[in-house]
Amino acid sequence: MRLPSRSSVLATIRTGGPQWIVPTRVAIGVMLLAPVDGAFQDLLWFSHPGSPVVPDSAVAAGLALRAVEVLAGMSFVAGAGVRLAIYPAAAIFIVRALANLAGSFTWLRDAAHAVIVPHGDWGYGVLYVGVTLLLGDLLTTGSGRWSIDYWLCEKLRVADHAPSR
């Protein structure tokens, strides 16, 4: 197993520190930790608690999905590894958008009925689409000035420029 080099770690966590990132990043983290319309796994048929017999594998998958959701939420709130947490967060928000939009549009409900439980309304669906698009901006800018990534980036940058003895 090869450990990542310092430059590859620095490229992953580098952030310019714009101030608008921090409240946006924290709000997205809170949306992952305490979702408005229920947890992510509740939107998928295979782990839906309302089905008559839920196999143990579906319960385990549901718990694993919730663990990913909580870890991504904590990552956004703390500003640690945001660029890596964006990928599962985008998948979570896309499923939430589809589930909410499917609750309002019959054609989408019919198309997604085998996988997604229709839930909520189109307003929340549009909200989740907007959040998913905002994640693309966070991918390019990083996690902002008040984050663990920024602190670690500054520490690694100082260590790179320190004279070796």
Side-chain angles (χ1 to χ4, degrees):
M1 182 174 173
R2 190 176 145 251
L3 293 174
S5 66
R6 183 177 291 182
S7 61
S8 65
V9 170
L10 193 59
T12 304
I13 63 169
R14 108 186 120 60
T15 181
Q19 293 180 353
W20 68 268
I21 298 290
V22 177
T24 305
R25 185 192 78 221
V26 171
I28 291 173
V30 169
M31 289 175 72
L32 287 166
L33 291 172
V36 174
D37 59 351
F40 171 63
Q41 78 268 12
D42 291 342
L43 303 175
L44 302 173
W45 279 113
F46 69 85
S47 63
H48 194 264
S51 54
V53 178
V54 179
D56 291 339
S57 61
V59 172
L63 290 174
L65 290 172
R66 181 63 184 148
V68 168
E69 193 173 29
V70 168
L71 288 174
M74 290 187 323
S75 176
F76 273 94
V77 169
V82 169
R83 284 198 173 101
L84 298 175
I86 283 175
Y87 298 108
I92 289 167
F93 286 128
I94 287 170
V95 170
R96 285 186 188 173
L98 286 174
N100 282 283
L101 291 170
S104 297
F105 300 108
T106 309
W107 63 270
L108 186 57
R109 183 179 12 212
D110 293 342
H113 78 283
V115 181
I116 298 173
V117 178
H119 198 80
D121 62 2
W122 69 271
Y124 285 118
V126 171
L127 169 86
Y128 290 129
V129 168
V131 170
T132 305
L133 293 173
L134 188 58
L135 288 175
D137 289 339
L138 289 177
L139 188 61
T140 59
T141 57
S143 57
R145 183 170 301 272
W146 295 292
S147 66
I148 293 173
D149 286 350
Y150 184 78
W151 174 80
L152 189 58
C153 184
E154 291 300 312
K155 287 287 192 187
L156 290 174
R157 190 174 299 147
V158 167
D160 275 347
H161 295 309
S164 59
R165 293 180 185 193

